[in-house]
Amino acid sequence: MTEEIEFILESAEESMTGSIEHLEKAFLNIRAGKASPAMLGSVFVDYYGSATPLSQVSKISVPDARTITLQPFEKNMLHTIEKAIMIANIGFNPMNNGDLIIISVPPLTEERRRDLAKQAKVEAEDAKIGIRNSRKEANTEIKKLEKEGTSEDICKTAEEEVQTLTNAFIRKIDELLVHKDAEIMKV
């Protein structure tokens, strides 16, 4: 196999891996009922005039499956952090006890679980579209090489390898979705 085809295959695999990584990050933002510091990943606090991620102004911990606690590095930030969580509109009602901010993560309703499962399915479908686009780009590059004089057999083999890669990554997405779906629907 030629160097150019190997490069095309490596690029396609790298792009497909990127789609999987993006999906995994998206799945982290879909809460599955139990508390996690990742739930607050989208919260930014006004820290002396600049929007700063919550994790940089406080220690975030999860003492149990239904509670998140935040301990600000500076005590005067308690009210600001509490306000930022409310503004982020992520469905949490923070409580301030003077030292910590405590967030009780409410259990998910059946309807909310179904909505989250649909959201996970949409994210998985987006990742599959990314995989298919990577396949299309790789096949286009292979066809260009064939027009430039690369053997038809070598190009056909390369296209089959691209399809094998695509199938493997689509299977991986399906496995991730099944796992996330089970996690969401588990009461």
Side-chain angles (χ1 to χ4, degrees), residues 144-163:
K144 277 185 197 171
L145 287 179
E146 190 174 352
K147 285 180 183 171
E148 292 170 5
T150 305
S151 149
E152 193 178 315
D153 290 343
I154 290 175
C155 290
K156 197 73 173 160
T157 303
E159 286 177 358
E160 288 168 4
E161 284 189 41
V162 168
Q163 186 58 47

Side-chain angles (χ1 to χ4, degrees), residues 24-173:
E24 288 170 339
K25 285 179 188 164
F27 277 178
L28 281 178
N29 293 330
I30 299 174
R31 78 179 184 104
K34 55 184 188 242
S36 154
M39 292 175 165
L40 301 172
S42 62
V43 179
F44 285 83
V45 179
D46 180 27
Y47 186 67
Y48 298 109
S50 66
T52 309
L54 185 59
S55 60
Q56 292 182 12
V57 294
S58 68
K59 177 182 169 223
I60 304 173
S61 56
V62 183
D64 60 58
R66 295 260 175 247
T67 312
I68 300 172
T69 60
L70 300 144
Q71 180 158 22
F73 299 135
E74 297 176 28
K75 203 165 193 166
N76 65 342
M77 291 297 294
L78 273 169
H79 182 67
T80 310
I81 291 172
E82 194 174 7
K83 190 174 160 189
I85 293 169
M86 297 292 264
I87 291 171
N89 197 20
I90 50 178
F92 294 141
N93 191 15
M95 294 178 290
N96 177 348
N97 73 1
D99 291 322
L100 298 172
I101 293 174
I102 301 165
I103 300 172
S104 291
V105 179
L108 296 171
T109 63
E110 187 66 29
E111 184 181 344
R112 183 70 180 132
R113 287 180 196 282
R114 281 197 209 101
D115 289 346
L116 291 173
K118 283 179 190 171
Q119 187 181 342
K121 205 168 278 185
V122 167
E123 292 291 349
E125 197 52 47
D126 287 348
K128 286 181 181 180
I129 289 168
I131 301 284
R132 291 184 193 116
N133 286 340
S134 298
R135 173 186 63 192
K136 183 180 175 188
E137 289 169 19
N139 284 340
T140 303
E141 292 297 316
I142 290 169
K143 293 232 185 301
K144 277 185 197 171
L145 287 179
E146 190 174 352
K147 285 180 183 171
E148 292 170 5
T150 305
S151 149
E152 193 178 315
D153 290 343
I154 290 175
C155 290
K156 197 73 173 160
T157 303
E159 286 177 358
E160 288 168 4
E161 284 189 41
V162 168
Q163 186 58 47
T164 303
L165 259 180
T166 303
N167 294 344
F169 278 96
I170 296 280
R171 259 193 314 278
K172 175 79 171 153
I173 289 172

